[in-house]
Structure formats: C-alpha cells, structure tokens
Amino acid sequence: MRTVAPSPARAARGAAPGTRATFTRVLVAEWTKLVSVRSNGWLALGTVVVAAVTAYGLGLFVRPDDGRSGSWVVTSGFVLAQIGFLVLGALVGTSEYTTGTARTTFATVPRRLPVLTAQALVTAVAASVTALLALAGSYLATAGTLGGDAPALDLSVPGAARALLGFVLACAAVALLGLGLGALLRRPADAIVGGIVLLVLGDQLLSRNPGRVTDTIRAFLPSSGVRLTQDDAAVAALDAATRGPQLGAWGGGAVVAAWVLVALGAAAYRLRRHDVR
C-alpha cells in the first residue's frame, strides 16, 4: 500500500496552535540566528572601529578654514564603514543557503515571505544599532584634543542634525541592499561584489569622465545615499558641480531606498516562484 507524506504546507496548517510558525516566532528565530553567529558581532565591532578610525584620520587633515563642518568629520567614516553594513546584510540574506538550512526553514514557514520580512526587520535594527555606536565612536575619536584642529560638532549648522540621522538611515539602507542582493543571488561573494560595484566602484569609475550622461547615471546609483550623511553646504556643493539632476539630500535617500525595494522585491519574487535548495 502506498503511503503519501503530507506536504510542508499541509503539515504547517495542521500544526498544533502552540507550535505554529507565527510571524512573531519567525522574527524571534531570525534575531536569534543573527546574534548567535559570533562573526556577526565581530563584523559589527569592526565596522564601528573602521568608522571611528576613518573619522579620526580624516579629521587630522581638516582645518577650521576648510569650510567643513563638525558633522562632516563625524560622519566621514561612512565611506569605508558602508562595506561592513553591506557584508552584514549579505551574510544574513545568504545564511540559509550557505548553511543548508533553507529547506528546513521554508518547510517550517511554507509561505516563505515572512522569513524574508523578518530578516529585513532584524537586519535594519542591527544595522541601526551598529550605526549609532559608530556615530558615538566617531564623535569620541574626533572630539576635544583628539580631533586636533578639526571643527567641533555643532548641531546649529544647517543640515548637521539631519546628517547624523542620515548616517543611521544610510547605513540601514546599505545593509538592506546587501540583504536583498544576498537573498536574490544566494551566494555571499556574488552579493558582496555586486554591492561594492553599485556602491563604490561604479560611482568612482563614472566620476573620472564627468558629463551630462555619466553624472545622470551616477545620480541614480545607490551611492547617492551618501548625500544623507552630509550637511547642507556639502550637498549644495555636490548639486552645483553635477551636470545631472540635482537630488539634494533626501533625493539621494530616495534613490537608495528605491534600490533597496527593487532588490528585496526581486528576492521575494525568486523566493516565491523558484525552488529553494
């Protein structure tokens, strides 16, 4: 006699009420997975250190008459720290596939999308906390005598407070972009390299040939999110120098947010429509 095993979806629907995979339980499980991996903690710590050291190093070369503000010095670590946030998101997005637990996870949560949603939430929270620690570390590394001649942080400078908030938002956006690429490509190396091309290399290569076309392309790369971390004077200088669209600070934020939505949307589509291996 032939025995038919219940499908994962049917098994989940038939689970006892106390053992169902509710979204809260999925969220807790994803958070537990993120914080229980020791390398994620070291990655966050390394990102904080890189941001603080970069801000300290650049602050040594800034003088009061350079026209730079204290907020620029504090947030300048974003240039290198964004790589740490990208890697964090990519590792969260690919962890199910590199460890071979994807089949078990999605057999437990047959609808699949709650897993990706929970991963996005825990990644955003972890990235935001790390960004706040990076800001605190950068401030301490550039304040007082450590900062040399660098201007002190002055929140009355137009755009200074927004730049600090923008630093946290930009870091969270980069981590979510890494998550989207990781969940879409399912290989850490592919997601990290793709993210670096979009965030760093593409912008740097195009900046070597300034013009209306290249500046327009640069404006719509996710690297435009760096505008969130700069004060009003720095953003105005960028807009004055470009031959492409003048996005301002929040326009750059909208561009990187759109990239995050596209990456996560593509990952969600693949997750729903294709097999999980």
Side-chain angles (χ1 to χ4, degrees):
M1 184 174 122
R2 182 183 178 190
T3 302
V4 179
S7 66
R10 186 174 298 172
R13 286 196 298 269
T19 60
R20 288 176 181 167
T22 63
F23 181 71
T24 302
R25 289 179 174 174
V26 174
L27 191 63
V28 172
E30 292 303 323
W31 179 257
T32 302
K33 285 193 285 186
L34 190 151
V35 299
S36 61
V37 177
R38 185 175 300 177
S39 60
N40 288 339
W42 286 110
L43 177 61
L45 177 61
T47 301
V48 171
V49 172
V50 166
V53 171
T54 303
Y56 172 75
L58 293 178
L60 293 178
F61 297 96
V62 178
R63 298 293 181 266
D65 56 353
D66 286 346
R68 294 290 190 180
S69 67
S71 65
W72 178 86
V73 177
V74 173
T75 62
S76 59
F78 178 79
V79 177
L80 293 178
Q82 63 179 332
I83 304 301
F85 290 100
L86 173 70
V87 174
L88 174 64
L91 293 180
V92 173
T94 59
S95 61
E96 300 287 352
Y97 309 100
T98 56
T99 60
T101 59
R103 287 182 178 275
T104 303
T105 297
F106 294 117
T108 306
V109 189
R111 294 174 60 190
R112 298 185 180 182
L113 290 188
V115 175
L116 182 61
T117 304
Q119 288 176 340
L121 289 175
V122 300
T123 300
V125 170
S128 297
V129 172
T130 304
L132 288 172
L133 294 175
L135 269 184
S138 298
Y139 172 74
L140 294 175
T142 57
T145 56
L146 288 177
D149 293 332
L153 177 62
D154 184 358
L155 295 182
S156 65
V157 173
R162 191 257 309 141
L164 300 182
L165 172 62
F167 181 90
V168 178
L169 295 176
C171 292
V174 170
L176 289 174
L177 179 63
L179 171 67
L181 293 174
L184 175 63
L185 302 176
R186 301 181 179 179
R187 293 183 180 180
D190 294 349
I192 293 170
V193 171
I196 290 176
V197 170
L198 291 173
L199 290 168
V200 182
L201 295 182
D203 182 75
Q204 293 297 317
L205 292 175
L206 292 172
S207 66
R208 296 179 181 276
N209 295 288
R212 184 174 298 277
V213 175
T214 53
D215 286 357
T216 300
I217 296 174
R218 287 179 65 199
F220 293 106
L221 290 176
S223 52
S224 287
V226 74
R227 289 167 172 265
L228 287 171
T229 69
Q230 298 175 340
D231 59 26
D232 287 356
V235 173
L238 287 175
D239 284 342
T242 184
R243 297 181 185 178
Q246 299 182 356
L247 298 176
W250 294 114
V255 169
V256 71
W259 276 91
V260 169
L261 291 177
V262 169
L264 289 175
Y269 179 82
R270 185 181 184 188
L271 191 59
R272 286 293 303 271
R273 298 292 183 182
H274 295 81
D275 291 338
V276 175
R277 299 177 180 176

